[in-house]
Amino acid sequence: MEFVKFFNKWLHLMSMIGVLGGIIFAWLSLRKAAKSDDPAAGEFLRPILRTFGISLGVFWIVALLTGFYNYFIVMGSVTGAYHMYAGIKMMLAILMFLISLYMAHPGSGDVPALKKRFNWLVALIVLGVMIVGISAHLNLSRISGAYIKQPAEALAAPVP
Ligand code: HEM
């Protein structure tokens, strides 16, 4: 069981590195080509964005499945505050997933449309940074015990 938890967490982190790393790379490195008026730049981008879209889809499927399993593992032992932050994280993650789908889907595939989608990369990076921050908070608050449910006996005990 410990190995399954470890493997799931490892996959979750690897897939999120794939999603966010790919998006940051695309924004940093391909933005110049996307802004160029040269038709050759558009033709250069088309196959790259296709491969990028497919890899993003695979990483997202793994990230969502492992994320929900992560949540399933901890949900019984955590407080309402944890669930609230986890809920915010899930909503942001689903929004990020939907924007990624729009951004990476080939659609009509014409070059101006492909280039226009680059603007969405900034929104995806902002969402990704917020989600990683919330995730770190969730993890640390569990390690510190702040968001861990206390045993009933501890709550019922008189305050010294
Ligand atoms: C609906 C989708 C998702 C769900 C249900 C989910 C759920 C979880 C849960 C329950 C944890 C464990 C937190 C803890 O240790 O208490 C976790 C860890 C993590 N998640 Fe997600 N996640 C999702 C999507 C994402 C996304 C989109 C990102 C990044 C953009 C992300 C980044 C992380 C990171 C970096 C951690 C590790 C935190 C740590 O252990 O230090 N997750 N996730």
Side-chain angles (χ1 to χ4, degrees):
M1 190 58 193
E2 282 311 305
F3 177 74
V4 175
K5 283 187 194 170
F6 163 79
F7 187 62
N8 186 72
K9 192 152 192 148
W10 176 76
L11 271 181
H12 191 60
L13 291 173
M14 291 302 289
S15 56
M16 287 334 305
I17 290 166
V19 169
L20 203 50
I23 290 169
I24 292 173
F25 171 80
W27 188 69
L28 288 177
S29 314
L30 303 178
R31 194 173 29 133
K32 260 196 187 150
K35 286 205 168 146
S36 157
D37 289 329
D38 184 350
E43 291 314 315
F44 163 78
L45 278 180
R46 197 197 302 268
I48 295 179
L49 286 182
R50 199 179 132 74
T51 313
F52 174 59
I54 294 169
S55 66
L56 209 56
V58 173
F59 283 134
W60 262 116
I61 291 170
V62 177
L64 290 174
L65 290 177
T66 53
F68 284 117
Y69 187 65
N70 261 342
Y71 187 56
F72 172 74
I73 291 172
V74 300
M75 64 192 288
S77 61
V78 290
T79 62
Y82 185 100
H83 290 295
M84 185 190 71
Y85 283 109
I88 295 172
K89 174 181 164 169
M90 282 181 230
M91 282 192 305
L92 293 177
I94 288 167
L95 179 64
M96 190 181 168
F97 172 64
L98 293 177
I99 298 176
S100 303
L101 272 189
Y102 167 73
M103 150 74 215
H105 201 269
S108 63
D110 64 297
V111 170
L114 285 178
K115 291 182 169 187
K116 225 171 137 190
R117 291 194 201 149
F118 262 77
N119 298 331
W120 285 101
L121 288 176
V122 178
L124 290 175
I125 292 172
V126 171
L127 283 170
V129 167
M130 285 165 69
I131 294 171
V132 172
I134 297 174
S135 307
H137 174 66
L138 288 173
N139 185 257
L140 290 178
S141 60
R142 231 164 27 83
I143 292 175
S144 71
Y147 288 170
I148 293 290
K149 264 190 212 159
Q150 297 304 314
E153 316 87 73
L155 291 176
V159 179

